[in-house]
Amino acid sequence: MRQRDPLIITAAICGAETMKDHNPAVPYTARELAREAELCRAEGASVIHLHVRRPDGSPTQDRRTFGEAIDAIRQAAPDIIIQTSTGGAVGMTVQERTQPLDLKPEFCTLTTGTCNFGDEVFENTFPMIREIAARAVANGVRMEIEAFDAGFVDNALRLHREGVIPAPLHFDFVLGVPGAMTGTEDRLDFMRSIIPADSTWMVAGVGRFELPLASAAIARGGHVRVGLEDNSYISRGVLAKGSWELVREVRKMAEQAGVTLATPAEARRILSINPA
Ligand code: KMH
Ligand code: ZN
């Protein structure tokens, strides 16, 4: 059997929906984001999935706010990979969502379908996806495909055949969003079964699915995303002290499984990211 690659842990430290009311450790300011990134790096994360907020905590995709956060994170965790969100928050236009791409980050997300998102709709029509992907390609930004449901994988493969999404494909299975695919192991196994053999993959379990799916991904040779964007709790009813505590939990799982963690340099190689 082929030796598995070192485990890439992505820390989704902020998101657009989790507020300090849900968990006081959610970072809003550039300084708070940088501190959280530094702590997550120290626990073994090699990628930061980044959203930004206004001072009152409301989500924004403002280019300048992203620039300030990226500068602060580069100071605090110089080698970490920064992946900017192009999803933003539900209801944002493509123009709003794609602003951080002009900063030429190393890595970004690309959601390849529309789904219910709680009581709202996360809209990603084909024209929207094509426009976001084109702007990523124009800025030389490597894309991670966010698949909230099986059809999102089919859409990504179609867009790949059209030449919109370049190879090699890297998938993040986002499982457990209320309104999309749930976060059970059989769903993960199905998602893995429908991607091309030369793809890389990871899982982001939402809510109570986060840590069980992290463990399932490690056992299956995949990579993992955790953090307060997706889940506020370290255990039932106990708030995580920060995304770093969730990263620490995944590090412990990896240690128990005898799996080494990827450094940011190794993660760049595995994910075919050109260093910034
Ligand atoms: N906030 C969600 C509606 C991404 O970052 O690319 C979308 C999201 C996906 O978080
Ligand atoms: Zn996100």
Side-chain angles (χ1 to χ4, degrees):
M1 200 180 100
R2 188 176 158 258
Q3 180 85 8
R4 67 153 292 154
D5 280 323
L7 173 68
I8 300 167
I9 305 177
T10 296
I13 60 178
C14 178
E17 292 85 21
T18 314
M19 304 299 288
K20 285 190 193 286
D21 288 350
H22 303 120
N23 186 321
V26 180
Y28 290 172
T29 66
R31 208 184 143 120
E32 289 172 345
L33 287 161
R35 178 68 184 144
E36 193 61 37
E38 184 179 11
L39 294 170
C40 289
R41 176 74 198 96
E43 295 293 346
S46 46
V47 180
I48 294 293
H49 169 66
L50 187 65
H51 288 250
V52 293
R53 307 290 183 98
R54 297 189 187 91
D56 67 357
S58 59
T60 175
Q61 290 286 105
D62 176 59
R63 189 182 298 110
R64 223 178 71 185
T65 312
F66 261 101
E68 287 164 6
I70 290 169
D71 287 348
I73 292 171
R74 287 222 178 100
Q75 292 273 326
D79 61 348
I80 206 155
I81 298 167
I82 299 174
Q83 177 196 63
T84 58
S85 170
T86 64
V90 289
M92 288 181 176
T93 64
V94 167
Q95 285 313 310
E96 281 176 279
R97 286 166 55 175
T98 51
Q99 291 177 75
L101 298 179
D102 296 339
L103 302 169
K104 302 190 187 300
E106 291 183 274
F107 202 17
C108 72
T109 54
L110 179 73
T111 304
T112 52
T114 296
C115 61
N116 287 338
F117 192 84
D119 290 341
E120 299 179 287
V121 174
F122 183 28
E123 189 184 14
N124 295 283
T125 62
F126 275 116
M128 291 169 79
I129 304 165
R130 286 194 190 95
E131 202 177 327
I132 296 169
R135 201 149 157 189
V137 168
N139 282 292
V141 189
R142 178 90 172 105
M143 286 176 266
E144 173 179 288
I145 298 159
E146 310 299 307
F148 291 52
D149 218 321
F152 290 29
V153 174
D154 298 324
N155 295 346
L157 297 179
R158 172 177 159 180
L159 291 166
H160 170 59
R161 284 193 298 273
E162 283 180 15
V164 172
I165 306 177
L169 302 180
H170 172 60
F171 291 90
D172 178 19
F173 305 133
V174 184
L175 302 182
V177 168
M181 193 177 250
T182 192
T184 50
E185 291 192 12
D186 60 342
R187 302 307 197 278
L188 172 61
D189 286 333
F190 180 68
M191 294 295 258
R192 289 195 310 130
S193 75
I194 60 173
I195 61 173
D198 62 351
S199 314
T200 48
W201 65 272
M202 59 189 267
V203 70
V206 174
R208 66 189 169 86
F209 297 110
E210 182 168 81
L211 293 173
L213 279 177
S215 171
I218 293 169
R220 289 161 173 75
H223 304 284
V224 170
R225 167 173 132 176
V226 289
L228 297 182
E229 171 166 346
D230 303 327
N231 163 46
S232 295
Y233 297 94
I234 190 69
S235 58
R236 199 186 165 93
V238 181
L239 290 175
K241 296 189 188 83
S243 293
W244 60 268
E245 197 180 11
L246 296 160
V247 173
R248 175 182 288 177
E249 208 57 29
V250 177
R251 175 166 61 75
K252 285 195 233 158
M253 289 175 192
E255 278 165 11
Q256 274 200 336
V259 172
T260 58
L261 299 188
T263 63
E266 286 170 327
R268 285 186 178 90
R269 178 186 56 75
I270 296 163
L271 299 173
S272 306
I273 293 174
N274 299 317

